[in-house]
């Protein structure tokens, strides 16, 4: 769902770095804020390390929910950092509250230890994500809280099933694997954290199961999801994997589902907590 494939000299990022995509990341974060953050508690944390901060979409929510935090955001892509600084400045945050560091998260070189770490929609884009968890561990204080939220894309389902959507989604996920990512990485979080040496690991499944009982939220999520998967279209078209017609057909099908009173949207993500 955001950020970079850290650790490659020329990383491909399925969502791209267009300004429209940078704004989508902020909108997306707000749409799915409650299902994620209602289960995160950084109230006892002062200094937080955010891995793969991108344009600061999650950073913005973290500072709003936990205004006492001081955040260091690590990001591989300089274009994302530039936008993140701009976004934080507009919100009135300076370096006393948040600073951004351009580094490869698989090979961190930080100057302090942090009270907690936060990762959201990042590991899906990274080859061998356990290296990120290993790399950040020396920069966490003993027993530091770690919160990770990641995708489980095979759980996406709509009723009725639309072939235009399912075919595009299959190509989208296959391409993410091809460029080194893992669209199912959420289900591996427990094993990855254990392999990296973390303790007291706990997993939960969050997400959406929206039907006619939740008409407005369902419309919002269908729109959000259409924009999310459409963000991969420029790269998929460039690679010759889909045509513009296939993209348009997918978008029309998503709009049809959004407008059907009895359509259903279903998706699950996985959220992990652990301690250093």
């Amino acid at each position: 769902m955001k950020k970079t494939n850290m650790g490659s000299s020329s990383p491909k990022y399925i969502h791209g770095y267009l300004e429209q995509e940078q704004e989508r990341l902020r909108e997306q974060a707000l749409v799915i804020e409650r299902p994620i953050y209602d289960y995160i508690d950084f109230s006892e944390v002062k200094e937080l390390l955010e891995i793969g901060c991108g344009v600061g979409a999650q950073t913005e929510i973290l500072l709003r929910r936990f205004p006492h935090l001081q955040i260091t955001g690590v990001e591989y892509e300089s274009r994302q950092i530039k936008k993140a600084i701009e976004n934080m400045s507009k919100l009135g945050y300076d370096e006393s509250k948040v600073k951004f560091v351009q580094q490869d998260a698989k090979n961190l070189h930080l100057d302090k230890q942090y009270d907690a770490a936060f990762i959201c929609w990042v590991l899906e884009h990274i080859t061998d994500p356990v290296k990120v968890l290993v790399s950040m561990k020396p920069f966490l204080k003993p027993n530091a809280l770690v919160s990770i939220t990641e995708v489980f894309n095979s759980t996406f389902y709509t009723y009725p099933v639309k072939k235009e959507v399912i075919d595009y989604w299959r190509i989208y996920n296959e391409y993410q694997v091809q460029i080194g990512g893992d669209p199912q990485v959420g289900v591996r979080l427990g094993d990855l954290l254990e392999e990296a040496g973390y303790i007291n690991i706990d997993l939960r499944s969050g997400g959406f199961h929206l039907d006619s009982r939740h008409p407005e939220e369902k419309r919002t999520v269908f729109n959000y999801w259409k924009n999310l998967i459409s963000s991969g279209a420029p790269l998929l078209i460039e690679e010759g994997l889909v045509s513009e017609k296939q993209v348009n057909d997918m978008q029309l099908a998503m709009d049809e589902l959004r407008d059907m009173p009895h359509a259903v949207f279903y998706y699950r993500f996985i959220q992990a907590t652990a301690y250093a």
Side-chain angles (χ1 to χ4, degrees):
M1 295 181 167
K2 73 175 184 175
K3 302 164 185 167
T4 57
N5 184 1
M6 292 172 276
S8 169
S9 58
S10 300
K12 286 190 176 180
Y13 172 51
I14 194 167
H15 302 297
Y17 301 106
L18 298 175
E19 185 173 352
Q20 179 182 358
E21 165 58 15
Q22 290 177 326
E23 289 303 316
R24 182 197 66 80
L25 289 171
R26 295 183 69 200
E27 293 171 5
Q28 166 193 293
L30 296 174
V31 169
I32 55 178
E33 175 181 344
R34 288 193 60 190
I36 296 172
Y37 285 90
D38 283 1
Y39 299 88
I40 293 174
D41 183 9
F42 288 140
S43 60
E44 301 300 317
V45 172
K46 181 179 179 182
E47 294 184 308
L48 176 69
L49 176 63
E50 181 184 2
I51 299 294
C53 59
V55 300
Q58 305 298 334
T59 317
E60 175 181 341
I61 297 174
L62 287 165
L63 288 170
R64 174 163 43 79
R65 285 194 168 228
F66 307 103
H68 63 284
L69 286 178
Q70 294 175 329
I71 300 177
T72 297
V74 174
E75 172 60 42
Y76 184 89
E77 173 54 53
S78 61
R79 287 169 288 186
Q80 302 290 73
I81 290 179
K82 181 179 178 181
K83 186 66 174 179
I85 293 171
E86 177 185 316
N87 288 338
M88 293 302 104
S89 178
K90 288 179 179 178
L91 293 168
Y93 298 121
D94 59 22
E95 285 199 355
S96 68
K97 291 299 294 179
V98 57
K99 66 177 182 178
F100 299 101
V101 178
Q102 185 179 8
Q103 290 188 19
D104 182 344
K106 292 181 180 179
N107 188 27
L108 291 171
H109 298 282
L110 302 171
D111 59 6
K112 64 166 65 176
Q113 288 188 316
Y114 294 84
D115 303 314
F118 175 83
I119 302 176
C120 186
W121 314 136
V122 176
L123 300 182
E124 61 168 309
H125 302 294
I126 298 176
T127 304
D128 205 1
V130 71
K131 291 183 178 179
V132 173
L133 304 179
V134 170
S135 176
M136 75 179 188
K137 196 167 185 290
F139 303 104
L140 298 178
K141 294 177 182 177
N143 210 39
L145 171 64
V146 176
S147 174
I148 306 176
T149 303
E150 284 296 342
V151 296
F152 185 14
N153 282 359
S154 65
T155 63
F156 171 53
Y157 181 82
T158 68
Y159 175 83
V161 173
K162 289 285 189 178
K163 186 176 186 300
E164 300 89 342
V165 175
I166 297 304
D167 286 350
Y168 177 92
W169 185 234
R170 173 182 53 79
I171 295 168
Y172 176 104
N173 285 287
E174 287 175 352
Y175 183 67
Q176 187 163 8
V177 173
Q178 181 183 327
I179 61 176
D182 182 358
Q184 321 304 337
V185 73
V187 295
R188 299 171 55 207
L189 288 180
D191 284 341
L192 292 171
L193 284 160
E194 186 168 74
E195 182 181 346
Y198 294 84
I199 61 173
N200 297 331
I201 300 162
D202 186 57
L203 303 175
R204 64 171 290 269
S205 171
F208 299 99
H209 188 171
L210 302 172
D211 53 27
S212 60
R213 298 169 299 160
H214 313 280
E216 291 307 314
E217 184 180 7
K218 185 176 71 171
R219 285 183 63 87
T220 297
V221 172
F222 265 119
N223 280 329
Y224 143 70
W225 199 263
K226 181 185 76 172
N227 293 334
L228 165 66
I229 63 179
S230 294
S231 68
L235 194 51
L236 294 176
I237 292 171
E238 180 183 323
E239 296 281 356
L241 297 173
V242 299
S243 66
E244 290 189 13
K245 182 180 185 304
Q246 284 175 286
V247 175
N248 291 334
D249 288 347
M250 175 275 293
Q251 292 172 336
L252 288 172
M254 288 294 288
D255 289 342
E256 289 174 3
L257 287 165
R258 177 199 63 201
D259 295 336
M260 289 180 183
H262 295 289
V264 177
F265 181 97
Y266 185 87
Y267 181 79
R268 308 304 293 175
F269 59 80
I270 307 298
Q271 198 164 40
T273 57
Y275 294 85

